[in-house]
């Protein structure tokens, strides 16, 4: 069974940093690209970052470019999101989601999310 | 960036009703349109990919149609468990995907 479990969320002050993790199991993690998607309280879904299986290609949404860094450790079946210069508008539930082998197919597997709150 | 616009943003209906949610893309996305259902506190659940391909285990009362820029999600014979928020998502420009703003379906 595919499982994605996010961790690392919490309360952080504006301008601060936080590192999110996503532990993957039930599939060959090193064979799949991965994504981070977030959802602000009461708002819609926003894709924020993508990384290929080897980490060689990375994309970011403009809203986080230059502040967030996606990475992965295939030996540890883990995906990461390093967030810095955090703003109040980064407050959201952050989900990791597995890409499918055909990139145009949508993510079927998502984690349960981890809440990041940016507030003083 | 491809913008996705859903309508309506909210909808009230009764058990047994038929409802339709519309999603419009700012440019042609051919058939690369997907639908998710999300319940409070839960991750999104994929219902339909490629405009009309129903996922395994999803009831047949859900259906999707459309191509190009205009798409619809139809739910017939609404059941209590269908009251949720629905999102369309374009994967034409994958991996940089975009979602519609969501349609909240409430019980009337």
């Amino acid at each position: 069974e595919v499982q994605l479990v996010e961790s690392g969320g919490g309360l952080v002050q504006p301008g601060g940093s936080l590192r999110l993790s996503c532990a993957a199991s039930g599939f060959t993690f090193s064979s799949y690209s991965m994504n981070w998607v977030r959802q602000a309280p009461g708002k819609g879904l926003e894709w924020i970052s993508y990384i290929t299986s080897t980490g060689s290609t990375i994309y970011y949404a403009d809203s986080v470019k230059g502040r967030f860094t996606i990475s992965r450790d295939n030996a540890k079946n883990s995906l990461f999101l390093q967030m810095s210069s955090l703003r109040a508008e980064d407050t959201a539930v952050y989900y990791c989601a597995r890409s499918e082998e055909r990139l145009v197919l949508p993510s079927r597997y998502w984690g349960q999310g981890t809440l990041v709150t940016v507030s003083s | 960036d491809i913008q996705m616009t859903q309508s309506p943003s909210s909808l009230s209906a009764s058990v047994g009703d038929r409802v339709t949610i519309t999603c419009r893309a700012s440019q042609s996305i051919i058939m690369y349109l997907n639908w998710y259902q999300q319940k409070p506190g839960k991750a999104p659940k994929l219902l339909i990919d490629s405009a009309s391909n129903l996922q395994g285990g999803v009831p047949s009362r859900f259906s999707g149609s459309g191509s190009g820029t205009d798409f619809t999600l139809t739910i017939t014979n609404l059941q209590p468990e269908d009251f949720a928020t629905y999102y369309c998502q374009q994967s034409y420009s994958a991996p940089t995907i975009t979602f519609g703003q969501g349609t909240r379906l409430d019980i009337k």
Side-chain angles (χ1 to χ4, degrees):
Chain A
E1 179 193 6
V2 173
Q3 282 201 315
L4 299 167
V5 180
E6 302 93 338
S7 60
L11 176 63
V12 60
Q13 292 188 338
S17 298
L18 206 59
R19 189 193 196 209
L20 305 184
S21 299
C22 170
S25 61
F27 66 102
T28 305
F29 180 71
S30 59
S31 295
Y32 287 86
S33 300
M34 298 292 296
N35 301 271
W36 286 101
V37 177
R38 69 182 180 183
Q39 186 170 36
K43 303 297 184 182
L45 299 162
E46 178 189 18
W47 169 85
I48 58 171
S49 191
Y50 163 91
I51 185 168
T52 53
S53 58
T54 61
S56 61
T57 300
I58 286 171
Y59 294 95
Y60 297 102
D62 288 344
S63 58
V64 304
K65 198 173 296 182
R67 301 187 299 122
F68 289 12
T69 302
I70 190 172
S71 63
R72 64 190 296 157
D73 184 339
N74 286 343
K76 295 183 177 179
N77 292 338
S78 295
L79 175 72
F80 305 103
L81 186 68
Q82 178 68 47
M83 305 185 293
S84 60
S85 302
L86 283 161
R87 308 165 180 166
E89 54 265 35
D90 295 318
T91 294
V93 174
Y94 285 74
Y95 296 99
C96 62
R98 193 189 82 174
S99 284
E100 299 306 317
E101 292 181 358
R102 280 188 64 210
L103 203 55
V104 290
L105 290 179
S107 295
R108 183 189 308 271
Y109 298 103
W110 296 59
Q112 85 290 348
T114 187
L115 176 62
V116 172
T117 303
V118 183
S119 175
S120 55
Chain B
D1 290 5
I2 300 173
Q3 308 301 317
M4 306 301 295
T5 304
Q6 281 181 242
S7 61
S9 55
S10 64
L11 178 59
S12 293
S14 300
V15 172
D17 282 356
R18 176 182 185 272
V19 299
T20 297
I21 299 168
T22 297
C23 183
R24 175 165 288 176
S26 59
Q27 66 179 72
S28 175
I29 56 171
I30 311 177
M31 53 179 269
Y32 298 115
L33 190 283
N34 314 298
W35 291 98
Y36 286 90
Q37 176 194 65
Q38 188 181 34
K39 296 183 178 179
K42 300 294 186 182
K45 173 187 175 182
L46 180 64
L47 298 177
I48 289 170
D49 77 71
S50 307
S52 60
N53 184 41
L54 196 67
Q55 299 301 291
V58 175
S60 59
R61 61 180 180 271
F62 290 89
S63 63
S65 64
S67 65
T69 60
D70 295 314
F71 301 85
T72 58
L73 171 69
T74 299
I75 314 171
T76 57
N77 188 24
L78 270 172
Q79 297 300 299
E81 60 268 29
D82 300 337
F83 292 95
T85 299
Y86 293 86
Y87 293 93
C88 63
Q89 176 215 60
Q90 66 81 15
S91 51
Y92 175 82
S93 63
T96 56
I97 57 175
T98 47
F99 294 88
Q101 80 277 18
T103 296
R104 179 173 171 171
L105 175 56
D106 291 330
I107 299 175
K108 187 183 291 183

